[in-house]
Structure formats: C-alpha cells, structure tokens
Amino acid sequence: MNTDIERLKKIVKDVTGVDLDSNTRKREAVHARRIYYKILSLSHNMSLSDMGKTLKNNQNHATVLHQLKMFEQDFETDKIFNSNFRRITNLIDGVVEKSTEEILKE
C-alpha cells in the first residue's frame, strides 16, 4: 500500500487514538474515519471505492460518500473533531499546534 496512505493512517491513529481498521461504529472511530477520508480525498486522486478499500473493513463507495458529506457538519459543530482535523493536517504539513486539552481550556 502507498506509504503516504500508511503515514496518514498512523497520524490519524496517533491523534485520535483510534485504529481505523477496527470494525466499530463508536463515535470516535466514525469521526476518525471521516477525517481520514476527507484528507485522502483532498490529497489523492482516488475513487470513492478505492478509498474504502484502503481500510481492512473495505467500506463501499456509498459509505465513503456519506462520511465525506457528514464531515462538514461535524467540522462546524464539534470542537474536538475540528481540533483533531487541524492537528492531523498540521502534522502532515509539519506544523506544531496546541493540544485538544489546551484548546478546550480557552
């Protein structure tokens, strides 16, 4: 598998504490997969079906599409989701940012 994709998986796991390949519907896992798919859609020219195949649970194109559609709602309404997305994108770009705990204290 592409090393960029493996690096993205590792960064998402490190920030969220969620294994993207786990087969669970817990909110934390769903949010982690949404962030993963959003970044994957922005950084790689892949079909929705191919994006779903990058995880061991082989999500289909409709699931990936739904995750991408729901991303915006969570990004606008959930501070922790927003913070995690920003931290992940900054880590990918090599920028250091405040932790989630520091942001919530503000």
Side-chain angles (χ1 to χ4, degrees), residues 3 7 9 14 16 20 22 31 39 45 47 50-51 60 65 71 74 84 88 95 98 102 104-105:
T3 56
R7 180 173 175 257
K9 280 184 181 181
D14 290 346
T16 64
L20 293 172
S22 66
H31 282 183
I39 294 171
N45 188 19
S47 70
D50 287 342
M51 281 187 223
N60 67 35
L65 180 61
F71 174 88
D74 288 333
N84 284 341
I88 291 166
V95 178
K98 294 179 185 178
E102 291 171 329
L104 291 176
K105 286 179 184 176

Side-chain angles (χ1 to χ4, degrees), residues 24-60:
T24 180
R25 294 182 182 176
K26 290 184 179 179
R27 181 185 307 255
E28 297 82 12
V30 170
H31 282 183
R33 285 192 293 267
R34 282 184 186 159
I35 291 170
Y36 170 77
Y37 286 137
K38 182 64 172 184
I39 294 171
L40 201 58
S41 72
L42 295 172
S43 62
H44 291 74
N45 188 19
M46 298 174 75
S47 70
L48 297 175
S49 179
D50 287 342
M51 281 187 223
K53 290 176 184 175
T54 63
L55 299 179
K56 289 182 182 173
N57 54 7
N58 282 326
Q59 295 189 335
N60 67 35

